[in-house]
Amino acid sequence: KKLPSSDCSLLPHNHYWISSKRIVTPNGTISGAVEIKEGRIISVVAEENWHVNSSFTTVVNYGESVVMPGFIDVHAHLDDPGRSEWEGFPSGTKAAAAGGVTTLVDMPLNSAPSTVSEETLKLKVQAAEGRVYVDVGFWGGLVPENAENASSLERLLNAGVLGLKSFMVPSGINDFPMTTASHIKEALPTLARYKRPLLVHAEVLLDLDGKVELEDGVENARSYSTYLKTRPASMEEAAINQLITLSKDTRAGGSAEGAHLHIVHLSDARTSLNLIKEAKQRGDSITVETCPHYLAFAAEDIPDGDTRFKCAPPIRDAANKEKLWDALLDGDIDMLSSDHSPSVPEMKLLDEGDFLKAWGGISSLQFVLPATWTHGRKYGITFEQLASWWSENPAKLAGLTTKGAIAVGNQADIVVWEPDMEFDLDNDYPVHIKHPSISAYMGSRLSGKVLATFVRGNLVYKEGNHASQACALPILHR
Ligand SMILES: NC(=O)NC(NC(N)=O)C(=O)[O-]
Ligand SMILES: [Zn+2]
Ligand SMILES: [Zn+2]
């Protein structure tokens, strides 16, 4: 049991209380206090039942600020080891802490090597040790090589990945080849035995010949609509159609009962969403996430040449965005994730503004809380909804049974934030992701400011400052 030292925490106490008028718990938002001891939540008490002698006890009173379970981001690319010039564990997890994210699950690609075997997972864990400010779990990659070799897949699962991730289109990374539906079908029974999920980038290549005219300058590569035409919603729809024939096997009594399919970063809110809804109604074990950038931005507003907004699947039109919000509010989209996928600024080709050649990926890790809140408050979202999309449901997906809620016995992973505090993401704003210039959020004004972030009871971030030492932990499935 590691006791908090003053290097690990800006509040080096073993035993203390956090109080506030607004504490978001699984039983609603209460005025009261949370008792934390040795990194765990040991009691949650409503104000009227709270009797503590604060002259003998450390109490941090946050007034009316919102005290919520820390965000769990199940989709982040930290690119470490091997491409840490793109992001890296220290910068990425500092950004997470500054944004109220207390746990993230790292994607198996964009680091070098990709996390596709027991050996490459070891490299990940080594790279994370002593260098992370928030807890970090790992997805392993499902690629043709291990999909066709059950024992290598089992070694990867035994080594502690929380689940697997695969691409149904080329990923853009050479040592992370795409899988077809038949690879996925082959892997599902193994995942079922291990009771771990498969996350899928659900787009497939379609024959778009004749539908997109890109030659001879007919279409301008600086125009966002050109890029949008190269990745129509039908690519997502076709992939999801394939997946829901496979998800049948995950039903009770099916050949892959115990396995679970999770569709990452859904952008198409029309046909794709209906397909997923129908599969859920039939009893398939399937969930879906979308990301704040699909809820915050619309294709019509993306300026020519502004490749900060390029990602796959692409940000679609404003009407699609409205439908994504409807689906989220109706519970048809289960959770949110950042899909923080940075690169070096040179690869975004910001000078040329070429949407076809630029690297795809949105940089957002530090801004997901204020981005979700700023855009969501127009739809009347509640703190409880935020907690279900960003903590409770992601914890379930990743199998993190002691995280995701302010509840007795859980790890004390907590964010404290101020919903009405606004700020400009200008050049003076302290941004911790490695390359602020490539973030699509820079230049905007957001509301919802993170004041403090606790990981396992350690105050790892407070008003612009981080703990001096990175004492959070790699998380392995056990
Ligand atoms: N290689 C990537 O990081 N790809 C990512 N790129 C995006 N989303 O544009 C992703 O998650 O698909
Ligand atoms: Zn993806
Ligand atoms: Zn991604």
Side-chain angles (χ1 to χ4, degrees):
K1 249 182 273 168
K2 201 165 168 185
L3 300 182
S5 81
S6 53
D7 295 332
C8 295
S9 179
L10 298 164
L11 178 77
H13 288 284
N14 255 325
H15 187 185
Y16 60 95
W17 292 82
I18 288 175
S19 68
S20 160
K21 300 268 176 228
R22 294 191 281 186
I23 301 174
V24 182
T25 79
N27 306 316
T29 299
I30 61 164
S31 174
V34 181
E35 183 178 14
I36 294 161
K37 193 173 180 189
E38 287 168 12
R40 295 263 175 179
I41 294 169
I42 60 165
S43 64
V44 181
V45 200
E47 196 179 355
E48 57 272 24
N49 303 322
W50 189 37
H51 310 288
V52 67
N53 187 338
S54 53
S55 52
F56 292 104
T57 311
T58 304
V59 179
V60 193
N61 181 4
Y62 284 109
E64 302 210 344
S65 297
V66 176
V67 172
M68 267 186 34
F71 278 31
I72 298 177
D73 182 5
V74 293
H75 190 152
H77 301 259
L78 293 193
D79 315 333
D80 204 349
R83 282 198 192 86
S84 54
E85 68 279 15
W86 290 17
E87 187 58 271
F89 283 123
S91 59
T93 58
K94 273 193 171 177
V101 174
T102 51
T103 302
L104 55 83
V105 191
D106 182 49
M107 278 293 160
L109 71 160
N110 300 7
S111 51
S114 292
T115 315
V116 294
S117 63
E118 182 185 5
E119 294 72 28
T120 48
L121 176 65
K122 282 203 179 117
L123 298 175
K124 270 281 178 200
V125 176
Q126 276 167 20
E129 262 161 5
R131 298 175 74 229
V132 289
Y133 292 83
V134 304
D135 285 353
V136 179
F138 309 93
W139 302 121
L142 177 71
V143 291
E145 197 183 315
N146 59 25
E148 286 157 1
N149 181 340
S151 74
S152 88
L153 205 53
E154 283 168 19
R155 279 199 301 279
L156 176 58
L157 292 163
N158 286 331
V161 292
L162 302 181
L164 301 177
K165 156 75 178 292
S166 84
F167 268 70
M168 297 176 83
V169 278
S171 72
I173 296 288
N174 288 336
D175 70 342
F176 203 95
M178 59 173 271
T179 47
T180 61
S182 60
H183 293 123
I184 294 173
K185 191 173 176 61
E186 207 161 340
L188 277 182
T190 307
L191 284 160
R193 273 189 285 118
Y194 282 80
K195 296 208 168 14
R196 282 180 236 177
L198 174 64
L199 285 70
V200 187
H201 179 126
E203 284 183 299
V204 289
L205 290 177
L206 299 174
D207 184 6
L208 298 173
D209 275 2
K211 289 186 199 131
V212 195
E213 294 163 41
L214 300 172
E215 283 107 69
D216 306 327
V218 177
E219 295 270 349
N220 176 1
R222 284 180 52 83
S223 153
Y224 182 73
S225 64
T226 302
Y227 173 60
L228 192 52
K229 282 184 212 162
T230 67
R231 294 191 98 114
S234 51
M235 289 176 65
E236 288 186 78
E237 190 187 323
I240 291 165
N241 249 316
Q242 293 182 19
L243 287 172
I244 61 170
T245 61
L246 303 177
S247 62
K248 284 193 182 78
D249 294 346
T250 64
R251 289 178 208 164
S255 60
E257 182 183 349
H260 178 81
L261 281 172
H262 176 74
I263 292 161
V264 299
H265 56 42
L266 183 81
S267 174
D268 173 35
R270 294 179 173 101
T271 312
S272 300
L273 198 56
N274 286 330
L275 293 170
I276 299 165
K277 242 169 101 169
E278 284 161 22
K280 283 182 180 173
Q281 280 159 6
R282 289 193 302 258
D284 298 10
S285 186
I286 188 167
T287 47
V288 59
E289 79 194 20
T290 190
C291 311
H293 42 274
Y294 300 117
L295 300 166
F297 307 126
E300 294 91 326
D301 304 328
I302 297 177
D304 280 356
D306 199 345
T307 56
R308 295 178 306 159
F309 293 90
K310 177 178 177 178
C311 62
I315 293 163
R316 305 192 189 282
D317 57 67
N320 185 77
K321 182 181 86 171
E322 295 303 315
K323 287 199 162 65
L324 281 176
W325 272 112
D326 290 344
L328 187 64
L329 295 165
D330 289 347
D332 295 331
I333 292 175
D334 303 277
M335 68 193 79
L336 298 174
S337 75
S338 71
D339 192 15
H340 176 65
S341 183
S343 63
V344 284
E346 301 78 70
M347 291 179 70
K348 284 302 241 182
L349 306 177
L350 293 165
D351 293 333
E352 298 95 305
D354 188 323
F355 274 108
L356 301 177
K357 297 202 186 100
W359 176 259
I362 300 272
S363 288
S364 59
L365 188 49
Q366 192 178 334
F367 311 128
V368 293
L369 186 158
T372 310
W373 176 244
T374 302
H375 295 276
R377 64 191 309 184
K378 298 174 224 157
Y379 299 85
I381 64 169
T382 64
F383 301 135
E384 286 81 4
Q385 282 171 316
L386 268 183
S388 75
W389 302 330
W390 274 111
S391 303
E392 191 186 331
N393 295 343
K396 260 185 222 149
L397 176 73
L400 303 170
T401 52
T402 54
K403 291 183 183 288
I406 295 186
V408 173
N410 273 3
Q411 283 156 355
D413 294 349
I414 290 170
V415 54
V416 184
W417 62 289
E418 195 48 72
D420 293 319
M421 210 179 266
E422 297 192 3
F423 53 96
D424 289 304
L425 287 178
D426 54 22
N427 290 333
D428 298 329
Y429 194 85
V431 179
H432 299 281
I433 56 173
K434 193 160 272 183
H435 302 292
S437 67
I438 61 173
S439 175
Y441 290 97
M442 291 308 289
S444 58
R445 184 173 180 80
L446 296 175
S447 58
K449 190 154 190 182
V450 173
L451 304 179
T453 305
F454 296 83
V455 175
R456 298 173 189 259
N458 284 332
L459 180 58
V460 297
Y461 173 83
K462 184 192 167 188
E463 293 165 29
N465 298 307
H466 289 85
S468 60
Q469 214 177 309
C471 302
L473 298 172
I475 305 169
L476 294 173
H477 189 284
R478 49 186 95 249

